[in-house]
Amino acid sequence: MPVSEFSLIYRYFSALGRGAAVDLSVGDDCAILHLDAGERLATSVDTMVEGVHFPADSFPEDIGFRAVSVAASDLAAMGARPLGMTLALTLPAADELWLQTFSQGLAEAVSEYRLPLVGGDTTRGPLTITVQVLGALPSGEALLRGGATVGDVVYVSGYLGDAAGGLAVLTGQWQPTPDHAEYLLHRFNRPRARLALGRELLGKASAAIDISDGLLADAGHIAAASGVKLVIEPELLPLSPALASHASAGQVRRWALAGGDDYELCFCLPATAQAPPGCTRIGEVVAGEGVDCGPGLDIAPGYQHF
Ligand code: ADP
Ligand code: MG
């Protein structure tokens, strides 16, 4: 990429790099972040490809915010404290208006999550956004998928299925009332990483995962990693008024069980523990394997790329 294009990008991204853990940000060969004494580093990376993870005509602001949320959601699911992130950006062209609005969405996420942008890489090619997140965990603590035990209660945060409903609105398959449409589109375009909840669950939850591929698929990961069965009662799933306004209760249930992109947390607590506000009990952990959500549900598994 020519120097002028790089300096453009540098202009939009180098101002987002300040944070409590950042010793050195954008501009050198590496960024330097520090951990507090007794902490461990948690890291994860997620890629979003235009046309696969978001529609080609999405607003650049939403693309930027969403890319950070998707990556930060993995820190939430581990209970980690956000330290910073890096951004590998592949762009078809150095379009200044696009970069400006994209970086506005990034800036909103940087500020909301306190997740400074400390470095990255910029290349030319089909629009692809990769965000690596870095977080801190107290030594010996982490929210893992593998700790659920028989007798635990299964919870989710927020509402389920909204992003899938939003995608249906976006693709013209569903036309709810304008206010419901606006809410659902927002839930798809602007998912929130549940970072505060994750940190609150640290040391309390026996297992946790963020719901990126749909509740059934992701609860299945907890079941497999923990060597248990999760029994989920579909009638307990938390539904937003907007999603529930769909004429088909069956469609709503399919979205809530199998729709991805909500980025809420699914977690297990011992039966004696109290769930944080905003979380809903949806089932329990029993002996066995897999996820059981009752008979008569014809639902495809979560999205898989290959
Ligand atoms: P190098 O050749 O050492 O990999 P680069 O030329 O790729 O360095 O990048 C120069 C500086 O700009 C580095 O500090 C890098 O982290 C930062 N940078 C490049 N692209 C981005 C981006 N999209 N977002 C944030 N920082 C970036
Ligand atoms: Mg580089």
Side-chain angles (χ1 to χ4, degrees):
M1 196 169 261
V3 172
S4 62
E5 293 187 6
F6 179 73
S7 59
L8 200 71
I9 284 147
Y10 195 81
R11 188 190 311 157
Y12 290 117
F13 299 137
S14 60
L16 304 177
R18 250 170 257 164
V22 181
D23 293 341
L24 185 65
S25 194
V26 171
D28 216 308
D29 296 313
C30 284
I32 303 176
L33 295 92
H34 64 261
L35 295 168
D36 291 342
E39 284 185 330
R40 293 186 295 172
L41 182 70
T43 184
S44 169
V45 66
D46 280 286
T47 293
M48 292 197 346
V49 179
E50 183 178 55
V52 178
H53 300 91
F54 58 91
D57 54 1
S58 300
F59 290 119
E61 250 169 302
D62 291 336
I63 298 172
F65 188 92
R66 190 158 175 270
V68 179
S69 293
V70 167
S73 177
D74 287 314
L75 291 180
M78 295 298 283
R81 176 171 69 88
L83 297 173
M85 64 172 161
T86 60
L87 167 69
L89 189 58
T90 302
L91 298 169
D95 173 344
E96 192 155 359
L97 185 61
W98 192 93
L99 278 167
Q100 198 186 339
T101 43
F102 173 76
S103 69
Q104 262 159 25
L106 274 187
E108 281 175 53
V110 165
S111 128
E112 179 167 328
Y113 299 135
R114 297 185 184 211
L115 192 60
L117 176 63
V118 300
D121 197 29
T122 307
T123 51
R124 187 197 290 272
L127 182 58
T128 307
I129 298 130
T130 298
V131 176
Q132 182 190 33
V133 288
L134 306 159
L137 281 167
S139 292
E141 284 190 75
L143 290 178
L144 304 180
R145 298 175 177 188
T149 54
V150 172
D152 284 351
V153 178
V154 185
Y155 293 89
V156 290
S157 62
Y159 292 125
L160 295 181
D162 281 348
L167 192 59
V169 176
L170 199 64
T171 53
Q173 292 162 277
W174 179 28
Q175 283 178 304
T177 62
D179 53 330
H180 285 161
E182 189 187 343
Y183 165 86
L184 292 166
L185 286 171
H186 191 77
R187 289 276 288 161
F188 176 82
N189 286 320
R190 297 281 177 139
R192 255 55 192 191
R194 302 296 179 200
L195 285 160
L197 175 62
R199 291 181 70 189
E200 190 177 341
L201 293 173
L202 195 60
K204 295 182 187 147
S206 55
I209 192 167
D210 63 319
I211 304 174
S212 53
D213 296 332
L215 175 67
L216 283 186
D218 291 316
H221 294 312
I222 290 184
S226 301
V228 295
K229 177 180 190 167
L230 269 56
V231 178
I232 288 170
E233 298 174 53
E235 62 277 12
L236 296 181
L237 300 183
L239 304 174
S240 69
L243 196 75
S245 76
H246 193 280
S248 160
Q251 176 63 271
V252 170
R253 184 170 288 194
R254 274 195 294 282
W255 278 331
L257 280 169
D261 297 323
D262 282 322
Y263 301 100
E264 298 294 349
L265 297 184
C266 174
F267 56 94
C268 301
L269 288 176
T272 51
Q274 182 138 24
C279 298
T280 305
R281 174 189 171 276
I282 60 163
E284 61 179 334
V285 179
V286 301
E289 57 182 48
V291 179
D292 181 351
C293 57
L297 286 166
D298 171 25
I299 285 170
Y303 185 82
Q304 300 204 348
H305 286 271
F306 298 105

